[in-house]
Amino acid sequence: MGRFGVGQAVRRSEDPRLLTGRGRYAGDIDLPRQAHAVFLRSPHAHALIKAIDTAGAAAAPGVLGVYTAADVAAAGLGALPCLSPVVSHDGSPMADAPRPLLAAERVRHVGDTVAMVVAEDVARAKDAAELIAVDYEPLPAVADAAAAVQPGAPLVWDEAASNTCFDWRIGDAAATERAFAAAAHVTTVDLVNNRIVANPIEPRAALGDYDRAEERYTLHTSTQGSHKLRNVLSESVLKVPAANVRVVTRDVGGSFGIKIFVYAEQALVLWAARKLGRPVKWTSERGEGFVTDTHGRDHATRAELALDADGRFLGLRVSIIANLGAYVSAFGPFIPTDCCCPMLTGVYTLPVAHAKVRGVFTHTVPVDAYRGAGRPEAAYLIERLVDVAALELGLAPAELRRRNYVSPSAMPYRTALGMTFDHGDFARNMDDAMARAGWADFPARRAEARARGKLRGIGLANYIERCGGPGNEEAEIRFEPDGAVVVSVGTQSNGQGHETAYAQVVAERLGVPFESIRVAQGDTASIRRGEGTGGSRSLAIGGTAIGAAAARIIEQGKHIAAHLLETAAVDIEFSDGIFSVAGTDRAVPIVELAKASFDPSTAAAAGIKPGLDEFGRAQIKEPTYPNGCHVCEVEIDEETGLVSVVAYTVVDDFGKLVNPLLVEGQVHGGVVQGIGQALLERCAYEAESGQLLSASFMDYCMPRADDVPSIAFATNETPCASNPLGVKGCGEAGAIGAPPAVVNAVVDALSGFGVRHIDMPATPELIWRAIERAKAAAGS
């Protein structure tokens, strides 16, 4: 293992470029003669569009075009499709409601896009948009999913009775009912998994161009994978061959799931560029992002746990109402069903389980993947349920968990909901986390805090997630004539550090200098295929493809070395960047061999084309199952309800670590987002009007540096056999374990007041009201 090889805590090679302003984000890209687009958004959550008058806008100075749904329909452009339809338990298809490029006849959420203005500059486009006269007829709206299924609720779609998109089930309902009938104790908790706005630091942006001679569209945009975006644009929206669409993504300033989808603006700037004969650019403003970027989470759940007299789990019963928003987003139906529910049993031995999910339309922004995508919802449900059960049974939370963990000796373990865990030592993770957090000494810290007038609480939560497979990916490793190495891969970094981790894999396998390796991504014109980044898949699948390409480079290099060293290829060995003749001191370094490979006579003698490059493919059949334990410690001001997170500990099992520094950074970021959801972030809609009340950073509270303590982090490694690198995904884990750990700690701090549960976000007002209710009840 070299200084920059696998397992080393290498600092991110991309950071000097990004920190010195040399990054190239979508908003940084400009083209000659580009025009600028601005979109008119609906101020109503639900309204009929009776008429649109664009004449004033079209006549405004500098305006090149004004477009509505009628223009889109005349051009034959398609809507944004759902890529993950589900089937209801009775076999009926879900109610499909694709998101239109521009709303026609009716708007269905605040921010729904009504018209597009293209002008010479942004200022004139904005001025012209204000001149568009839309005659709206406001209609009743419903924003809350539970309210949307009540009799008489306003319908989002006439075709979806009771606003139901699907009614989906998993598990054995009959066996679960029998387990509950036999239970000595049943714990029931009603939970809200609050709606989240992702708010990546880089807003969405799109720059479209069209080459008439080649009949090819080019889109510069911020994505989680250019190839999937291209395929949806070409097949479903523009309706042209994929070869006629090029998508280019360079640096991406965060995504957390929301940039994996196609949005209307991306398609419309391409269409307008073709129509106008010049590039068209759009960059989202933060306020636009709140009402047009997909939102996350938003579940209302009843969870029930059946236990025997010894506190052993007998069965799990779950009913979820999942808010889908106004339209069915790309993966919207998949997130609360197949992505969430198979993980509901967590790390516990649960003989039977059953879950039903009702996907519901509301007059809100569509809901789709947000960091963790279903796995955080599952972990929050089971970990809150277990904590409440422990409270009801008078058991320590750790003790109840210990009685019910799946043991390492039971691996591979098939859960009641169809997952097969390959390895895991869940009790060890908890024991290590509790020891590192000083759990045994907590009573003294609680007493000291009480003396200062503070309420101190401690909570733990386990998690396990399914990620990093199944899937496939392709990578290319190409040596340049000067010995530099270019690695091309179809995944897309959104800030995770792919350039560093991938270079470490190549440096380890090929023995080339780390600094000579450049990672290329995001351009469909130069990278043949790719599945993008999502579900913590990049290293497990993309890294495997890179490893396969490296193996083929070595095989190709042996033939070149055989020619250079005048021997047979079977006599060539490779180690630490050196090709050598077995049993001799004759050798050639790979970099020198690569330079020699560009000589036509050398290549011909070796029976290859000039140069040294190879493709590798990964076809991963099974997922990875990262898991771990979080311990959170909080203090609450009894007078104000203000929560301070004062200590945080994480012990994770991510299999083999390629770069421990990158892993820790990913965990830190996920934990911060989880703390944000648990305590701060609330996407609030007004019930009657469907207006988004938290549509800016003035009203939507994001976590800041002083909201988070130093995070203690450690790992345990158990094997992972699903990919050759032995890695497990780490990008979403922090956001999965943090919310239940934080809320468990808050409830523990409030235990003296008899508080059993509190919903996220546990804001000071919510906590203060809980305390005051308890005091009033005690005094009555």
Side-chain angles (χ1 to χ4, degrees):
M1 181 189 299
R3 177 185 171 193
F4 297 103
V6 170
Q8 299 301 298
V10 178
R11 290 184 177 274
R12 291 172 25 132
S13 58
E14 52 267 64
D15 281 353
R17 174 173 58 83
L18 300 176
L19 293 173
T20 55
R22 291 178 286 125
R24 294 280 284 169
Y25 298 92
D28 295 324
I29 310 299
D30 291 306
L31 296 174
R33 299 180 61 249
Q34 75 185 19
H36 295 267
V38 164
F39 293 91
L40 181 69
R41 317 285 186 179
S42 169
H44 302 285
H46 192 201
L48 295 177
I49 301 175
K50 301 184 72 176
I52 302 178
D53 184 354
T54 63
V63 171
L64 302 172
V66 182
Y67 309 107
T68 67
D71 301 298
V72 168
L77 301 182
L80 306 178
C82 174
L83 303 179
S84 59
V86 300
V87 176
S88 291
H89 71 97
D90 62 1
S92 62
M94 71 177 199
D96 196 13
R99 196 173 186 177
L101 300 185
L102 294 172
E105 300 179 356
R106 187 182 297 217
V107 292
R108 289 180 166 85
H109 68 86
V110 172
D112 218 351
T113 311
V114 175
M116 174 190 194
V117 178
V118 182
E120 295 289 353
D121 55 55
V122 173
R124 284 188 277 189
K126 285 184 175 181
D127 290 343
E130 293 181 357
L131 299 176
I132 299 174
V134 184
D135 183 5
Y136 292 106
E137 181 183 322
L139 299 171
V142 61
D144 178 74
V149 299
Q150 298 304 311
L155 292 180
V156 182
W157 295 90
D158 294 339
E159 302 86 349
S162 301
N163 287 311
T164 298
C165 176
F166 57 80
D167 187 351
W168 182 92
R169 311 284 169 90
I170 189 174
D172 189 329
T176 301
E177 293 303 315
R178 290 194 295 271
F180 273 81
H185 181 84
V186 173
T187 292
T188 302
V189 182
D190 291 322
L191 304 163
V192 172
N193 207 290
N194 46 318
R195 180 179 282 235
I196 294 294
V197 181
N199 287 316
I201 194 169
E202 178 207 18
R204 292 190 296 114
L207 172 58
D209 195 13
Y210 184 74
D211 187 318
R212 293 193 183 279
E214 296 187 4
E215 297 184 336
R216 184 167 77 163
Y217 296 92
T218 297
L219 176 66
H220 298 268
T221 191
S222 185
T223 77
Q224 288 181 227
S226 298
H227 295 81
K228 280 192 171 181
L229 205 76
R230 177 202 62 187
N231 295 343
V232 173
L233 282 169
S234 63
E235 295 169 13
S236 300
V237 184
L238 299 174
K239 300 178 182 177
V240 298
N244 290 35
V245 180
R246 178 191 180 195
V247 177
V248 182
T249 299
R250 302 197 186 280
D251 293 313
V252 179
S255 176
F256 315 118
I258 70 161
K259 294 177 183 175
I260 202 170
F261 325 114
V262 175
Y263 288 88
E265 298 89 353
Q266 293 163 324
L268 289 170
V269 296
L270 288 173
W271 173 67
R274 177 175 181 174
K275 195 171 184 68
L276 297 172
R278 55 191 293 190
V280 177
K281 183 176 183 178
W282 168 79
T283 302
S284 176
E285 295 184 352
R286 187 60 68 181
E288 281 185 288
F290 272 93
V291 295
T292 61
D293 296 353
T294 56
H295 292 176
R297 314 290 194 244
D298 203 346
H299 291 184
T301 302
R302 169 157 288 188
E304 299 171 282
L305 182 65
L307 304 94
D308 68 12
D310 296 321
R312 308 286 180 182
F313 299 165
L314 299 177
L316 176 70
R317 188 165 56 197
V318 175
S319 178
I320 298 171
I321 297 178
N323 195 336
L324 301 177
Y327 303 104
V328 180
S329 188
F331 302 105
F334 171 67
I335 302 305
T337 55
D338 281 311
C339 204
C340 169
C341 289
M343 305 309 300
L344 285 172
T345 57
V347 295
Y348 306 108
T349 300
L350 263 158
V352 294
H354 182 257
K356 54 185 179 181
V357 181
R358 189 173 181 180
V360 175
F361 292 118
T362 61
H363 293 103
T364 63
V365 174
V367 176
D368 211 307
Y370 171 70
R371 195 170 191 171
R375 283 71 56 86
E377 294 92 316
Y380 183 69
L381 184 155
I382 189 65
E383 291 302 308
R384 281 298 300 130
L385 191 56
V386 171
D387 245 42
V388 174
L391 180 67
E392 292 176 351
L393 295 173
L395 293 172
E399 173 56 28
L400 184 59
R401 287 173 168 84
R402 197 181 309 280
R403 292 183 188 184
N404 290 282
Y405 280 137
V406 177
S407 70
S409 62
M411 302 293 179
Y413 177 79
R414 185 169 176 81
T415 74
L417 295 175
M419 297 294 96
T420 300
F421 301 158
D422 52 356
H423 295 92
D425 192 339
F426 311 133
R428 179 188 175 195
N429 290 339
M430 184 181 72
D431 290 342
D432 287 357
M434 292 175 69
R436 288 176 175 274
W439 190 285
D441 301 324
F442 174 73
R445 296 194 296 278
R446 169 174 267 171
E448 186 275 333
R450 198 72 190 103
R452 292 185 284 107
K454 304 292 185 181
L455 307 171
R456 196 161 180 129
I458 193 167
L460 68 83
N462 298 287
Y463 79 90
I464 187 167
E465 64 159 323
R466 172 186 57 168
C467 64
N472 61 81
E473 198 58 73
E474 183 176 272
E476 179 189 15
I477 298 177
R478 183 181 74 252
F479 280 79
E480 301 286 8
D482 63 357
V485 181
V486 178
V487 180
S488 299
V489 64
T491 58
Q492 178 66 51
S493 177
N494 310 143
Q496 297 95 332
H498 291 182
E499 294 179 38
T500 303
Y502 286 158
Q504 285 181 259
V505 173
V506 174
E508 174 91 1
R509 298 295 177 89
L510 297 183
V512 295
F514 175 83
E515 60 276 8
S516 72
I517 302 166
R518 179 174 68 87
V519 175
Q521 56 186 350
D523 189 344
T524 60
S526 59
I527 300 171
R528 297 195 309 190
R529 57 177 60 91
E531 296 297 316
T533 290
S536 301
R537 71 184 299 278
S538 292
L539 194 56
I541 306 178
T544 295
I546 289 170
R552 296 188 66 179
I553 285 282
I554 293 169
E555 287 305 307
Q556 184 181 352
K558 287 180 177 180
H559 292 279
I560 302 171
H563 169 70
L564 296 175
L565 300 175
E566 299 179 333
T567 189
V570 294
D571 295 328
I572 298 295
E573 298 177 337
F574 180 79
S575 179
D576 296 328
I578 304 292
F579 290 96
S580 61
V581 179
T584 75
D585 59 359
R586 288 186 293 152
V588 58
I590 189 171
V591 173
E592 296 305 315
L593 179 144
K595 293 177 180 178
S597 71
F598 285 90
D599 176 51
S601 61
T602 299
I608 62 168
K609 64 183 185 298
L612 184 58
D613 68 273
E614 281 288 354
F615 287 90
R617 284 186 62 79
Q619 292 183 310
I620 301 300
K621 296 181 179 180
E622 298 293 336
T624 71
Y625 290 99
N627 58 88
C629 182
H630 291 221
V631 176
C632 177
E633 204 162 327
V634 302
E635 281 189 358
I636 298 176
D637 187 308
E638 185 176 343
E639 299 301 316
T640 65
L642 182 66
V643 180
S644 298
V645 180
V646 295
Y648 206 98
T649 302
V650 183
V651 173
D652 283 313
D653 173 8
F654 293 135
K656 187 179 293 296
L657 304 187
V658 170
N659 186 319
L661 190 63
L662 294 184
V663 169
E664 186 168 1
Q666 286 294 296
V667 172
H668 285 187
V671 167
V672 171
Q673 286 182 284
I675 290 173
Q677 180 177 9
L679 298 178
L680 305 168
E681 298 183 52
R682 182 181 177 219
C683 186
Y685 280 93
E686 187 177 54
E688 295 79 13
S689 68
Q691 291 292 324
L692 182 58
L693 303 178
S694 53
S696 76
F697 288 148
M698 293 293 291
D699 303 297
Y700 187 93
C701 187
M702 297 284 285
R704 303 187 180 196
D706 60 354
D707 293 314
V708 184
S710 178
I711 299 170
F713 173 70
T715 60
N716 288 323
E717 180 183 330
T718 64
C720 175
S722 64
N723 62 82
L725 294 177
V727 300
K728 304 177 185 180
C730 71
E732 298 159 299
I736 298 172
V742 173
V743 174
N744 286 347
V746 168
V747 172
D748 182 61
L750 298 175
S751 59
F753 296 99
V755 174
R756 177 175 177 269
H757 174 67
I758 196 162
D759 275 321
M760 300 187 292
T763 61
E765 178 190 0
L766 199 63
I767 291 172
W768 180 84
R769 290 185 182 279
I771 292 173
E772 292 304 306
R773 281 196 301 269
K775 289 179 177 179
S780 61

